[in-house]
Amino acid sequence: MVSKEEQELIDLRMKWADMPILNFWHDTNDAPDTFFDELLDESRGDVTTETKAKRTTTRSTSSGDDDKEKATSSYTGAVSKGAKIAKKPTKKGWGKFWKYVDPKGATKLADGRAGSFPSPAARKSGLECENMVITKGLDLQIGYGRGTKGVTAFEKGPVRGTSEYMKIDRKCNNCGNLWPVNADFKDKDSQKKCPKCRKSDDFKDVKGPYKQSGEVLVIPVGMVGDGQTVAFMLLTGAEAKKMSFLKPGDRVCVRGWIKGQGYDASVINGLGLSGSGLKHYGFKFRKGGPTQAVPLITLGSRGYDGYIKKV
């Protein structure tokens, strides 16, 4: 027969088993401290081992290999400007994400600016990447007035798509470095500069244009502890394929680039991001549909050292 106190502890364990931190009062006369220790360890993903002399706790990971749960930027396209963020994507507001929407610094999404993620000021203070959680996106409300539409495409996880575009391989005459560029952006100043020695307009095209295929991954994310969706994250190519295991509830740490991007919620498969630079990724953007600009986070260009890792 289970006592009332024991049942309360069982219910508590079931309720909080997936949370990283437990905050509660307890009377040590109700249960031994080891029960609460084991409950806390289990909620953190720790492995508890008992020995005759002492109890030890070791941190565990889901894969045992950090490299398998981290992807760095391989993007070589051009940098584009952002659209103004004029409306919150959910009824819950921005929460802690407000520091990117309307800060005192240079990156102000409300004004259509683009910039580093985390912000340069946060970087200087020691924040290498921003902790975020992957959501189901069910709280997203895109559009205005009667055109407002909910989004269900991400209920089972991030949306995967395919990309197909034309690619050119370039070789620097100064240092001999080889680098690929998207043919759509081949005349941009950023694509005519060697990413290794940084010399501009001193290269030759050694291959292409040729067709390049890959994957794309669109992920709704929120700030840890806030409980609402605040932005989309876009991964392409090798990064998209490597991180396709991510699911709602997973926590990630992200370093990259952020800007406002038009989004059309009427595109059923979730790939409703606008922008000519995204057309070869299979995105659709229907004019006149329930659209608005939303924050979009990418890993930035390859020389920027952006990354995403599961934590």
Side-chain angles (χ1 to χ4, degrees):
M1 184 72 178
V2 178
S3 67
K4 181 179 179 181
E5 290 78 11
E6 289 174 329
Q7 186 60 51
E8 288 178 349
L9 291 174
I10 292 172
D11 293 340
L12 181 65
R13 179 174 180 172
M14 293 176 65
K15 180 178 180 180
W16 295 103
D18 293 328
M19 297 297 289
I21 298 175
L22 298 178
N23 297 304
F24 56 82
W25 277 90
H26 75 274
D27 187 338
T28 54
N29 292 323
D30 290 340
D33 286 345
T34 54
F35 176 86
F36 291 93
D37 290 339
E38 291 170 5
L39 177 58
L40 182 58
D41 293 340
E42 183 173 327
S43 70
R44 288 174 171 172
D46 297 344
V47 177
T48 302
T49 59
E50 296 288 341
T51 66
K52 292 182 179 179
K54 63 180 181 178
R55 171 182 172 277
T56 61
T57 301
T58 57
R59 178 69 63 189
S60 65
T61 61
S62 57
S63 69
D65 188 346
D66 289 342
D67 289 339
K68 290 182 178 179
E69 298 185 338
K70 178 180 179 180
T72 56
S73 174
S74 62
Y75 178 68
T76 58
V79 175
S80 58
K81 297 180 180 179
K84 291 184 179 181
I85 304 293
K87 188 174 183 289
K88 302 178 183 68
T90 74
K91 295 180 180 179
K92 292 184 179 179
W94 293 110
K96 291 181 287 188
F97 196 76
W98 181 255
K99 62 184 178 182
Y100 293 104
V101 180
D102 196 10
K104 295 181 179 179
T107 307
K108 192 171 183 179
L109 298 177
D111 288 345
R113 303 175 196 170
S116 301
F117 185 83
S119 65
R123 294 276 186 85
K124 290 181 180 179
S125 67
L127 184 63
E128 288 294 322
C129 57
E130 188 72 73
N131 283 304
M132 309 200 80
V133 62
I134 296 170
T135 74
K136 294 183 178 181
L138 295 173
D139 54 344
L140 288 167
Q141 295 291 319
I142 306 297
Y144 300 90
R146 294 182 179 180
T148 301
K149 187 176 179 65
V151 180
T152 60
F154 306 94
E155 186 173 3
K156 294 183 179 180
V159 169
R160 297 176 66 179
T162 57
S163 64
E164 190 173 277
Y165 60 98
M166 301 307 291
K167 189 175 181 180
I168 296 174
D169 291 341
R170 287 181 168 170
K171 183 176 182 179
C172 179
N173 294 326
N174 182 54
C175 69
N177 179 52
L178 285 166
W179 80 97
V181 299
N182 189 314
D184 290 348
F185 310 124
K186 64 182 180 67
D187 296 324
K188 296 285 186 179
D189 290 341
S190 61
Q191 304 306 292
K192 295 189 288 185
K193 179 186 293 186
C194 174
K196 184 177 181 179
C197 69
R198 312 304 294 174
K199 189 172 183 181
S200 297
D201 297 311
D202 189 11
F203 64 87
K204 60 180 179 181
D205 292 340
V206 294
K207 183 180 179 181
Y210 60 95
K211 186 179 292 186
Q212 178 71 31
S213 299
E215 293 191 22
V216 61
L217 194 67
V218 181
I219 312 169
V221 293
M223 301 292 280
V224 173
D226 274 359
Q228 75 264 27
T229 306
V230 294
F232 283 110
M233 186 165 188
L234 173 65
L235 301 180
T236 60
E239 303 93 285
K241 185 175 183 179
K242 189 172 185 179
M243 303 305 290
S244 61
F245 67 89
L246 291 173
K247 62 185 183 302
D250 285 345
R251 294 190 178 190
V252 294
C253 206
V254 182
R255 170 175 173 159
W257 190 259
I258 187 169
K259 64 176 182 177
Q261 191 81 34
Y263 187 76
D264 183 352
S266 68
V267 179
I268 299 176
N269 66 0
L271 302 178
L273 292 168
S274 69
S276 59
L278 296 174
K279 63 183 179 181
H280 47 258
Y281 291 122
F283 291 107
K284 297 179 180 179
F285 191 70
R286 184 174 63 85
K287 292 183 178 180
T291 62
Q292 70 185 67
V294 297
L296 181 67
I297 304 166
T298 69
L299 300 186
S301 65
R302 187 164 56 178
Y304 179 70
D305 192 30
Y307 62 82
I308 176 174
K309 63 180 179 179
K310 185 180 177 184
V311 294

